[in-house]
Amino acid sequence: MADIKAIYKPEESDKCERPLFMIPVSAGFPSPADDYVEGSLDLNKHLIKHPAATFFVRVAGDSMLNAGIHPDDILIVDRSLDAVDKKVIIAIVNGELTVKRIRIKKDGIYLVAENENYNPIKINKEMEFEVWGVVTSVIHAL
Amino acid sequence: MTVFALVDCNNFYVSCERVFNPGLENKPVIVLSNNDGCAVARSNEVKALGVTLGAPVFKEQALIKKHGIQVFSSNYALYGDMSNRVMRVLSDFAPNLEVYSIDESFLDLTDVRKNDLTDFGVEIKTKVKKHTGLPVSVGIAKTKTLAKIAAGIAKKSKKTGGVLDLCNPTHLDRALEITNIDSVWGVGRRFAKFLKVYGIKNALLLRDCDTEFIRKKMGINGVRLVEELRGNSCYPLDSSPMQKKNITVSRTFGRVIRNLEELAEAITAYATRGAEKLRRNGLVADSISVFIMTNRFDKENFYYNTEIIRLPASSNNSSEIIAAAIQGLRKIYKPDCLYKKAGLFFRELKPESMVQQILFDTVDREKNQRLMASLDTVNDIMGRDTLKYASAGLSGKKQWKTAFSHRSPAYTTKWDQLPKVT
């Protein structure tokens, strides 16, 4: 008796979506585009890979200016991603949310700003430090 | 053999606040009910201070000041959104999932092949925490009732690390023994009282009870309960030991109401909300009761009255319920009273499927059902109250709406209230 490889759940919705062809069907010469069906570009799908784990935060301050992150920008933050070296992350430091670039070096973890006016923060045992999420995109209104 | 997991968020409302305000971690926090009346959620630190669930806030002011307890109004927009996220993450772990309440979900793990269920539970807990920031407890067992017991223990016992698998009989008996009869899912107050009289004070004793005795005293539901405790699943996903015995919609007003029209507006809103709840749960009501009352602390002028109205036929139709509720209100309304609170109880609830058409029913029930379905769909997509009954009041701000003075920002649902990072 063969093993069951997989069990699929039937699609239970009573809607059946069908793509709409963009060129009206008519007699005569077919358009070369006939075989190509276009949907629109979905910004949500493009920018948000893990919806349940994605949050938006608002930037206050200029500590990350040189990374293209300005005050009032919106950051797209994905909590499901890992905070690997050089990623821009949202971190919790002593109870506050902060945006910095994480550097994981041999001698410890640093939170580095992208602005000469700010010094890097070395994480030590006395600090309350936790990764909140990884920044994937910046939304900057011009 | 069936396997279920119950995933239950720890201190859900408080935990939601902490995700966006990490400074609240390990601090005493209370979340208040509608109208900021009483504590509906307390952090562990607050529980340790002796503040009980439902404690009226004005009574606890001394404690609040002394220990610097942070107080928040309920932020339902936030909690609803966070709940959806948790459920979405959980849906990755099992093909079938039942969202039991805003912060609890049953997973059917029967077809999920895992060697170590505890490890699997830890995987679930870890992923939910990482993706949403919310801590959860996981209980795994052969039936939903046992899974609920397991989750309850996992939540309280640090030793379990927040995950408890009771499929293995090793810890099962002990777990049942430490579970009070009142906390067993499906044992209501009436049954608990009765069972205690017979010395059945914990889940273990109930499990080992004589089945026929239970059948005589508690009927078929009692037998199902005992069978579930014995590891024989009687409740698959989406089925529960108790249908909601009653649904209540009531609110304390932000300021007092004197006139009938405003009371009627409020009652209409509650009737609409209640009818929605009925429809969402696939239930109908046979009767409703309306109540109104003045400030109960003004004993001299205190007025409370209630009226029961039988519905012409079992219904969950907004129009019919509104009509009945207003009818009841007119009977009990007394002028020159300062009303502080009003509400509706929906009584004698039954599943929709059990409704019998009455012989001389003049209402086209099918047409009404379709209307209700459209109403619900539009309101679902476009937001609550997009379509509503005119008697609910068309003027902009409703003075009787509840107060939310300590509410945190809508961190995940409003662009102008996003959490700030520096």
Side-chain angles (χ1 to χ4, degrees):
Chain A
M1 190 157 70
D3 269 344
I4 298 174
K5 238 196 187 145
I7 296 175
Y8 295 96
K9 226 168 82 102
E11 173 63 62
E12 273 158 34
S13 81
D14 49 11
K15 269 198 279 213
C16 185
E17 293 188 19
R18 281 275 153 267
L20 180 66
F21 282 83
M22 298 312 289
I23 311 293
V25 177
S26 59
F29 292 105
S31 160
D34 271 354
D35 292 332
Y36 297 87
V37 176
E38 284 291 327
S40 53
L41 294 173
D42 185 338
L43 207 54
N44 275 323
K45 284 219 182 93
H46 178 67
L47 293 175
I48 301 173
K49 301 300 178 198
H50 308 107
T54 301
F55 296 85
F56 302 123
V57 301
R58 179 84 62 179
V59 179
D62 58 358
S63 65
M64 295 295 282
L65 215 47
N66 296 336
I69 295 173
H70 313 78
D72 250 23
D73 285 354
I74 292 174
L75 302 177
I76 302 181
V77 185
D78 189 334
R79 290 185 62 108
S80 72
L81 301 178
D82 290 322
V84 298
D85 185 37
K86 296 208 192 111
K87 286 275 184 199
V88 175
I89 66 166
I90 304 297
I92 304 171
V93 178
N94 296 330
E96 302 263 313
L97 294 173
T98 181
V99 52
K100 295 288 173 291
R101 194 179 298 277
I102 189 170
R103 295 308 315 268
I104 302 175
K105 300 195 167 162
K106 283 203 194 103
D107 64 333
I109 297 175
Y110 292 82
L111 294 180
V112 179
E114 290 277 352
N115 183 328
E116 310 77 49
N117 299 327
Y118 294 81
N119 288 324
I121 305 166
K122 180 164 198 244
I123 303 297
N124 56 49
K125 285 196 190 73
E126 289 84 54
M127 284 178 173
E128 287 160 16
F129 163 73
E130 207 182 301
V131 175
W132 198 87
V134 175
V135 180
T136 57
S137 310
V138 191
I139 303 174
H140 175 74
L142 296 170
Chain B
M1 192 194 79
T2 53
V3 184
F4 292 95
L6 175 68
V7 181
D8 185 347
C9 299
N10 302 341
N11 298 321
F12 182 60
Y13 292 176
V14 171
S15 297
C16 286
E17 301 289 347
R18 283 176 167 162
V19 173
F20 302 95
N21 189 343
L24 296 174
E25 206 63 51
N26 299 320
K27 301 262 167 44
V29 178
I30 287 178
V31 176
L32 302 177
S33 63
N34 282 341
N35 224 54
D36 294 349
C38 46
V40 291
R42 308 153 292 156
S43 70
N44 289 337
E45 300 75 16
V46 169
K47 285 178 189 168
L49 291 172
V51 178
T52 51
L53 196 64
V57 150
F58 70 89
K59 278 205 174 145
E60 309 288 352
Q61 288 298 337
L63 263 178
I64 289 172
K65 276 212 169 72
K66 183 172 176 204
H67 298 278
I69 301 178
Q70 295 278 349
V71 176
F72 292 91
S73 307
S74 295
N75 187 343
Y76 294 116
L78 178 65
Y79 307 152
D81 180 69
M82 294 301 277
S83 175
N84 287 338
R85 291 167 185 271
V86 171
M87 302 316 169
R88 214 161 163 169
V89 174
L90 292 179
S91 63
D92 285 341
F93 286 99
N96 286 307
L97 156 68
E98 172 193 342
V99 175
Y100 183 65
S101 71
I102 198 172
D103 66 346
E104 285 167 285
S105 213
F106 282 107
L107 279 65
D108 188 340
L109 300 181
T110 307
D111 297 322
V112 173
R113 257 168 234 263
K114 285 290 159 190
N115 287 326
D116 189 324
L117 287 169
T118 305
D119 280 351
F120 189 56
V122 173
E123 230 185 283
I124 294 174
K125 184 180 162 71
T126 307
K127 191 168 184 187
V128 173
K129 182 74 163 73
K130 184 163 209 291
H131 286 221
T132 69
L134 296 170
V136 302
S137 303
V138 183
I140 303 172
K142 291 187 188 165
T143 67
K144 284 165 77 171
T145 308
L146 289 173
K148 253 215 169 234
I149 287 176
I153 296 172
K155 195 182 269 215
K156 294 207 185 86
S157 157
K158 282 209 164 83
K159 238 193 316 175
T160 60
V163 179
L164 181 60
D165 171 19
L166 290 180
C167 286
N168 194 306
T170 319
H171 299 121
L172 184 54
D173 280 26
R174 178 70 188 139
L176 293 176
E177 197 182 7
I178 62 175
T179 301
N180 214 298
I181 196 70
D182 308 88
S183 334
V184 177
W185 191 51
V187 175
R189 226 180 312 165
R190 235 183 67 225
F191 280 155
K193 211 166 160 192
F194 158 82
L195 289 168
K196 277 190 240 187
V197 166
Y198 283 90
I200 303 169
K201 54 180 182 163
N202 61 45
L204 184 65
L205 293 169
L206 181 56
R207 181 198 71 180
D208 295 339
C209 228
D210 173 47
T211 314
E212 281 320 302
F213 170 73
I214 294 293
R215 190 194 303 276
K216 270 203 206 93
K217 302 292 185 179
M218 289 171 69
I220 185 71
N221 283 326
V223 175
R224 286 202 187 108
L225 184 50
V226 176
E227 282 304 306
E228 282 253 321
L229 288 174
R230 289 175 188 163
N232 303 315
S233 173
C234 303
Y235 298 108
L237 287 191
D238 296 320
S239 115
S240 297
M242 51 239 165
Q243 291 292 31
K244 285 203 176 148
K245 286 285 183 252
N246 65 65
I247 287 179
T248 304
V249 185
S250 79
R251 299 280 187 276
T252 306
F253 305 136
R255 61 151 183 80
V256 291
I257 290 182
R258 224 190 278 259
N259 62 50
L260 182 55
E261 292 87 287
E262 280 188 77
L263 266 181
E265 272 187 26
I267 291 292
T268 300
Y270 304 161
T272 310
R273 192 69 65 234
E276 271 173 27
K277 271 193 194 176
L278 285 173
R279 291 196 295 274
R280 212 182 320 133
N281 286 289
L283 297 169
V284 289
D286 277 347
S287 60
I288 61 171
S289 65
V290 196
F291 78 86
I292 50 178
M293 71 186 224
T294 58
N295 189 341
R296 61 193 163 103
F297 297 112
D298 181 358
K299 293 206 161 89
E300 233 183 71
N301 299 313
F302 182 62
Y303 174 67
Y304 167 92
N305 208 343
T306 175
E307 178 80 13
I308 298 180
I309 308 101
R310 293 233 97 213
L311 298 171
S314 307
S315 170
N316 56 19
N317 176 291
S318 298
S319 314
E320 286 171 15
I321 289 172
I322 291 172
I326 301 291
Q327 190 191 344
L329 175 62
R330 284 186 201 281
K331 288 213 175 115
I332 54 179
Y333 173 73
K334 224 172 71 170
D336 299 322
C337 284
L338 304 174
Y339 295 101
K340 194 72 175 126
K341 185 171 178 171
L344 286 176
F345 295 121
F346 293 77
R347 306 158 85 251
E348 299 170 89
L349 304 188
K350 299 205 288 276
E352 259 171 336
S353 45
M354 276 174 59
V355 173
Q356 294 153 324
Q357 291 275 52
I358 60 172
L359 215 47
F360 301 104
D361 197 351
T362 52
V363 176
D364 182 343
R365 291 194 181 275
E366 254 189 45
K367 179 174 175 198
N368 270 333
Q369 260 184 319
R370 291 200 299 276
L371 175 63
M372 288 303 107
S374 314
L375 190 77
D376 287 342
T377 306
V378 173
N379 281 341
D380 256 336
I381 295 170
M382 301 196 56
R384 223 165 220 197
D385 290 349
T386 299
L387 283 182
K388 58 188 181 187
Y389 287 83
S391 60
L394 296 172
S395 67
K397 209 170 156 90
K398 296 205 186 25
Q399 299 264 344
W400 46 264
K401 278 213 162 153
T402 49
F404 285 109
S405 52
H406 310 279
R407 191 162 44 177
S408 56
Y411 295 115
T412 61
T413 52
K414 286 253 168 3
W415 288 110
D416 61 344
Q417 295 179 41
L418 300 180
K420 293 210 169 59
V421 298
T422 50

